[in-house]
Amino acid sequence: MYADRLNRTGGFNPGSLGVALVINGAVIGALFFAAPGLVTSTPPEGPLITYVPYTPPPPPEPVPPADPLVRQQPRPAPRPDAPITVVQIPQTEGFAVTPDPLPYIPPIGVEGTGTGTVAIDPPKPAPVFVQPGIDPRYAADFQPSYPSEERRAEREGKVVVRVLVGVDGRVKQVERISATTDTFYRATLDRAMAKWRFKPATRDGVPVKAWRSMSLTFVLQN
């Protein structure tokens, strides 16, 4: 299939070289069309992985060193003509601390340094209070009637109440302190609201409302 590159008679034959090139090209073309898979490469299966080259981070910026001259600067010395502050410390030795004296109160009727006379009013007396008292005109009406059921039971009793006497001498309110039975207390309550009369209490001679305690005894008589 290949032609001789050198002529047997001697010298180079260009026609033989051309024929050899044509024959080789025809053989390569036939192989290409007959088996294309032998020439064309098949891409590999699977995803394509791309690798990024590692790039180191940039170095940190250098911190400028502190200026040593700033730390070594001495404080300014005080001026020679600046005034000097002197703190006075109080002396406590040899002294006694005494409390403030009481305020001066001039006596009654003593002349002062001015043209008039200094006088102080005497203290007012406490108000006089007088408790309410039983009006003697109604003294016979104070004893309640003996309850019939207590009499049948032959039971004696005692009642202590607290009454509010108005300025007119009448009973305005009754409070129970103690009682032998409720029957004795109801008899006392009814009698107090209906019949009891008092002399009203007074404060500096003026009638006022006031409370007073009353004690009554129920005794059987033969």
Side-chain angles (χ1 to χ4, degrees):
M1 294 176 62
Y2 295 92
D4 296 335
R5 297 184 180 179
L6 298 178
N7 197 356
R8 292 183 179 180
T9 56
F12 182 77
N13 188 358
S16 300
L17 180 60
V19 174
L21 292 175
V22 173
I23 293 172
N24 290 330
V27 172
I28 294 173
L31 294 175
F32 177 79
F33 286 104
L38 298 178
V39 179
T40 306
S41 63
T42 303
E45 298 181 358
L48 181 61
I49 301 175
T50 303
Y51 295 93
V52 180
Y54 171 75
T55 302
E61 297 182 0
V63 179
D67 191 358
L69 298 179
V70 176
R71 298 181 180 180
Q72 299 177 1
Q73 289 182 355
R75 295 183 179 180
R79 296 172 52 189
D81 56 346
I84 300 175
T85 303
V86 179
V87 179
Q88 298 291 339
I89 301 176
Q91 300 292 333
T92 57
E93 297 181 359
F95 294 91
V97 180
T98 59
D100 295 336
L102 297 176
Y104 172 73
I105 301 177
I108 300 175
V110 178
E111 295 184 357
T113 57
T115 57
T117 301
V118 179
I120 300 177
D121 296 335
K124 294 182 179 181
V128 178
F129 178 78
V130 179
Q131 291 281 351
I134 298 176
D135 193 336
R137 296 174 298 175
Y138 302 92
D141 298 333
F142 271 77
Q143 182 63 41
S145 300
Y146 211 103
S148 58
E149 58 180 296
E150 300 295 345
R151 185 185 298 273
R152 289 192 300 268
E154 298 182 355
R155 185 168 40 238
E156 296 181 349
K158 183 178 180 179
V159 177
V160 179
V161 293
R162 188 166 174 260
V163 296
L164 177 63
V165 180
V167 294
D168 58 353
R170 293 178 176 270
V171 176
K172 304 300 180 181
Q173 187 176 348
V174 179
E175 290 185 356
R176 177 176 177 175
I177 298 177
S178 64
T180 304
T181 63
D182 293 340
T183 305
F184 285 128
Y185 171 70
R186 285 195 300 269
T188 304
L189 175 63
D190 295 340
R191 176 64 63 148
M193 298 300 295
K195 298 294 184 178
W196 288 3
R197 297 292 183 272
F198 295 86
K199 290 182 179 180
T202 58
R203 180 178 283 108
D204 290 340
V206 180
V208 294
K209 290 182 179 181
W211 289 89
R212 173 173 175 154
S213 297
M214 297 290 294
S215 176
L216 294 94
T217 303
F218 293 83
V219 181
L220 292 172
Q221 296 179 358
N222 295 331

